[in-house]
Amino acid sequence: MVQFSSIFTGFTKSIAIRNGKTSKHDVGREAADAMAKEAKKNEMMLTSSGCVAGVSENLAAAYSKGGKKGINQDRFIVWEDFGCQDGMIFCGVFDGHGPWGHLVAKRVRKLMPPALLRNWQKRVAHTMDGDGIGIDRSCNFQFDIWKHSYLNTCSIIDQELEQHADSFYSGTTALTLVRQGDLLVVANVGDSRAVLATTDDDGRLVSVQLTVDLKPNLPRESERIMQSRGRVLSCEDEPGVYRVWMPTVEGPGLAISRAFGDYYLKDFGLISEPELTSRNITHRDQFAILATDGVWDVMSNQEAVEIVSSTPKKEEAAKRLVESANCAWKRKRRGVPMDDISAICLFFHNIPPSKQQDCLKFEKKLT
């Protein structure tokens, strides 16, 4: 953390001198945006199907396939060496909805990583003494920093989105993950899902769900919505699908209880506050899957883990998972238009350097 703070501070000072600016907020934003551009230039950031592997143990594969409902509204991002930190990685999947959901998802994908980065840096700086010595490096302490950084980031993003008219009747979910050393932090807004693959005492690979699908009929979610005068109802033509509705106006309803955008429902219980969880990665933990509900609507957690683990080449794992979900849609939900399907598979351990070349070859094959 000390290393990042010194890098970030030097970077921000150079930008301030060059531009003649004194605003810490503007400088911090420019520095984070510049880091994002540099990461993309150096192929450490992934926003289209492929994989990325840094010098660390991380290898992340990502893939997206449009459904039958129109334009693909899913977006994703992987940023290796997040914020110039060796081995730190940021992953996120964003599932847009509504007529302009693809624009909202794309905007949140662009805004969240640099905003989180600068909020994290500020939080780290506040915990340091004058010399940057004596910092508590425990996972609980690090998680607390990430928690406050995420809460502030999501609040800022929702305020910024409010300036765009296309966010009034459209929105997006946001499921993101940060790995910092052995600490895994997951932040969830909506009903995309994160699943961990780990080994049990008998050596079997098992799934552990890291997030809760934030649906309106969850007791804690429905209570908040009803206290805000919103309604939670399931229509006759969609039995079992509960939506958030305005108090009196009929439609449109929303089948998730948390989202960015959708300002027509923000006064009636819909929020963009993320639900955060953390885990200390051990040698038993093999990989994590982040996927939009297009996967989980037709596949169990364990099925997804088994598909990923049985894929011969890790860089093809996300594609195989998405294609398997695509086949499951045709088999299990005939007559129902297939949803957009996106997934990121993040592998934790011992990735050989040769995998970097494999990733480049795989990305070229996808395009």
Side-chain angles (χ1 to χ4, degrees), residues 218-289:
L218 285 177
R220 68 177 186 274
E221 299 295 292
S222 62
E223 181 180 357
R224 183 191 67 247
I225 292 165
M226 290 185 289
Q227 285 180 348
S228 302
R229 298 185 297 116
R231 295 181 295 158
V232 178
L233 298 172
S234 175
C235 296
E236 291 183 4
D237 59 343
E238 290 183 308
V241 178
Y242 289 86
R243 296 180 181 272
V244 184
W245 304 86
M246 290 181 283
T248 55
V249 180
E250 293 299 329
L254 189 63
I256 49 179
S257 57
R258 304 191 191 196
F260 286 104
D262 299 302
Y263 291 95
Y264 75 103
L265 286 171
K266 283 292 166 68
D267 289 335
F268 307 115
L270 183 75
I271 61 175
S272 59
E273 181 180 309
E275 187 168 79
L276 284 107
T277 56
S278 67
R279 184 182 179 94
N280 191 28
I281 299 171
T282 72
H283 68 281
R284 291 191 174 192
D285 302 328
Q286 301 302 310
F287 57 85
I289 300 170

Side-chain angles (χ1 to χ4, degrees), residues 64-73 326 338-341:
S64 183
K65 186 179 184 70
K68 301 297 183 181
K69 300 179 180 179
I71 188 171
N72 187 351
Q73 295 190 309
N326 179 38
M338 189 182 76
D339 199 358
D340 304 326
I341 308 174

Side-chain angles (χ1 to χ4, degrees), residues 43-44 51-56 58-60 80 351-353 355-356 359:
E43 298 182 335
M44 303 303 286
C51 71
V52 60
V55 296
S56 68
N58 297 317
L59 183 147
E80 174 68 25
I351 304 302
K355 286 295 183 184
Q356 297 183 38
C359 284

